[in-house]
Amino acid sequence: MSNESLSPSADIGAAPSVVRGGGAGTTGQTQFISFAIGGEQYGVDIMAVREIKGWSEITHLPKQPNYMRGVLNLRGAMVPIIDLRCRFGQGLTEATPLHVVIVVQIGPRMVGLLADRVLDIISVEASQAQAVPRVSAASRMEFLSGLVTIDGAMVALIDISNLLSEITKTPDERSVVH
């Protein structure tokens, strides 16, 4: 990855400062925002990202899963904040002003993803993505849509619709058994 990075308050509406592989107009490519949680790298589809902002205080809500840190008032919209480290089973993040919230849109809802730092914007050819190996039947890989190697580093691509499926369902949808 390059030494360039996005600032925590980057506005995704602006033109990307780092683009690999020909940009958005190139057929078969998808752009991802890559970010770090500990020593691991992850990516989320740039088309779902609405904003990246620095960590700020949130309002905690009672009786929520551990990974649901609370809500953030984002210009009048209440945005739930998900601790990705906790969602991936790695314990709670001790959030500091150096952490970032990546605000993504899933259908009509916006959700904030708490991460350590944003790394880069990467373009990935569909053929570059590899399937996530399933180690056991109990593996929780439904959060990942694939793996790519960028500049020698493995980036796990997050399927945000599966990552947040319980959060984004309405109460009626939660009661439906599939």
Side-chain angles (χ1 to χ4, degrees):
M1 304 201 120
S2 70
N3 290 332
E4 299 177 64
S5 64
L6 296 174
S7 68
S9 61
D11 180 5
I12 297 306
S17 59
V18 178
V19 177
R20 301 179 192 252
T26 306
T27 306
Q29 288 192 335
T30 303
Q31 289 186 326
F32 293 87
I33 298 283
S34 66
F35 57 93
I37 299 173
E40 304 297 322
Q41 294 183 32
Y42 297 90
V44 66
D45 189 330
I46 197 169
M47 296 307 291
V49 177
R50 295 294 163 252
E51 184 172 336
I52 299 172
K53 59 184 277 82
W55 175 254
S56 59
E57 286 304 311
I58 58 172
T59 301
H60 298 278
L61 300 175
K63 297 188 179 187
Q64 298 296 312
N66 288 343
Y67 59 84
M68 171 62 176
R69 295 294 292 264
V71 293
L72 174 68
N73 184 343
L74 186 62
R75 293 180 294 283
M78 292 300 132
V79 178
I81 304 299
I82 307 308
D83 183 340
L84 289 178
R85 175 177 281 119
C86 185
R87 185 68 167 135
F88 296 153
Q90 301 171 358
L92 286 174
T93 300
E94 294 295 328
T96 70
L98 298 177
H99 286 85
V100 295
V101 174
I102 303 167
V103 179
V104 296
Q105 185 143 11
I106 305 167
R109 299 185 184 182
M110 290 201 307
V111 176
L113 307 176
L114 176 60
D116 292 351
R117 65 192 175 282
V118 170
L119 300 172
D120 213 342
I121 297 174
I122 56 175
S123 289
V124 176
E125 291 283 343
S127 62
Q128 285 179 279
Q130 298 178 19
V132 178
R134 190 146 184 104
V135 178
S136 73
S139 293
R140 297 189 65 197
M141 297 299 168
E142 66 271 10
F143 302 152
L144 303 178
S145 61
L147 300 168
V148 296
T149 302
I150 304 292
D151 295 337
M154 186 70 66
V155 178
L157 304 178
I158 296 176
D159 181 342
I160 57 173
S161 61
N162 282 338
L163 174 70
L164 308 172
S165 61
E166 286 304 308
I167 296 159
T168 58
K169 288 181 181 175
T170 65
D172 291 338
E173 290 172 324
R174 286 187 194 121
S175 64
V176 175
V177 178
H178 296 283

